[in-house]
């Protein structure tokens, strides 16, 4: 019995060590999603985590990293240059961070929605599960709005219960409704020309 107890304790120690080995490097907290869903989100990030599209919280505001560049000068400390988009106003800002500097991750959630219509100052979307309407200011959807089509499935991002960004599918199939005439002498291979898509892009 004593030998069995020793073996059991040893097995438990091995399991604990394995669990620690696979623990995430960032602290995690649970975020309640719509319809009772939950997800895990890191509390803290550093400049080593930067990538295009990363959402961070800076000065109590959610920002998206649009561009970044790690710089290691010959003299002095390394730093990171970034171009960030304010997800509340749609404006952009350039900021320089110290290499290794920490910041909070933006506590955001996403949900499936359909594009309904353009009402002038806002784009109107319908939650695919609850059928509730959400409005996003046109300025916040710049860059993606040119691909909106009625009934189009996409995702909306919210922060503190407010929709702050529109995420379009990575690939889409759209009809070409207009192109400029080809230039005489051009061959079909390797030739490009301006075109207008059914969404207006």
């Amino acid at each position: 019995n004593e030998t069995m107890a020793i073996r059991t304790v040893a097995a438990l120690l091995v399991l604990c060590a394995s669990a620690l080995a696979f623990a995430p490097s960032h602290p995690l907290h649970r975020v309640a999603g719509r319809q009772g869903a939950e997800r895990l989100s890191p509390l803290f990030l550093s400049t080593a985590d930067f990538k295009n599209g990363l959402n961070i919280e800076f000065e109590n505001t959610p920002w998206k990293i649009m561009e970044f560049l790690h710089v290691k000068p010959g003299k002095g400390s390394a730093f990171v240059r970034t171009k960030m988009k304010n997800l509340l106003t749609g404006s952009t800002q350039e900021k320089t961070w110290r290499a290794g500097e920490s910041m909070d991750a933006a506590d955001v959630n996403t949900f499936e929605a359909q594009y309904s219509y353009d009402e002038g100052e806002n784009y109107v979307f319908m939650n695919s599960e609850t059928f509730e309407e959400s409005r996003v200011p046109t300025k916040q959807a710049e860059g993606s709005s040119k691909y909106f089509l009625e009934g189009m499935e996409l995702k909306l991002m919210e922060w503190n219960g407010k929709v702050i960004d529109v995420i379009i599918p990575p690939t889409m199939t759209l009809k070409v409704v207009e192109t400029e005439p080809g230039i005489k002498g051009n061959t079909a291979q390797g030739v490009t020309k301006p075109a207008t898509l059914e969404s207006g892009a």
Side-chain angles (χ1 to χ4, degrees), residues 7 13 16-17 43 57 60 63 66 69 72 78-79 98 115-116 120 125 127 131 134 138 145 171 190 193:
R7 289 179 178 176
L13 290 174
C16 289
L43 285 170
E57 191 165 320
N60 299 317
W63 297 79
M66 307 299 290
L69 177 65
K72 295 182 179 180
F79 57 91
R98 299 187 309 273
Y115 172 65
S116 296
F125 302 87
N127 187 305
F131 306 110
S134 297
T138 54
S145 60
T171 59
K193 57 183 178 179

Side-chain angles (χ1 to χ4, degrees), residues 107-168:
D107 187 4
V108 297
N109 188 37
T110 60
F111 60 93
E112 301 286 340
Q114 282 187 355
Y115 172 65
S116 296
Y117 58 92
D118 178 0
E119 66 174 10
E121 295 183 354
N122 300 293
Y123 294 112
V124 182
F125 302 87
M126 182 182 68
N127 187 305
S128 298
E129 292 185 2
T130 66
F131 306 110
E132 296 176 351
E133 285 190 343
S134 297
R135 284 168 169 76
V136 179
T138 54
K139 188 173 182 180
Q140 286 181 232
E142 282 181 351
S144 57
S145 60
K146 58 187 176 182
Y147 298 108
F148 291 170
L149 286 175
E150 184 177 347
M152 173 184 175
E153 297 280 349
L154 36 69
K155 290 185 179 181
L156 298 183
M157 179 185 294
E158 62 180 0
W159 176 77
N160 287 350
K162 179 181 180 180
V163 176
I164 60 174
D165 199 13
V166 181
I167 305 171
I168 61 175

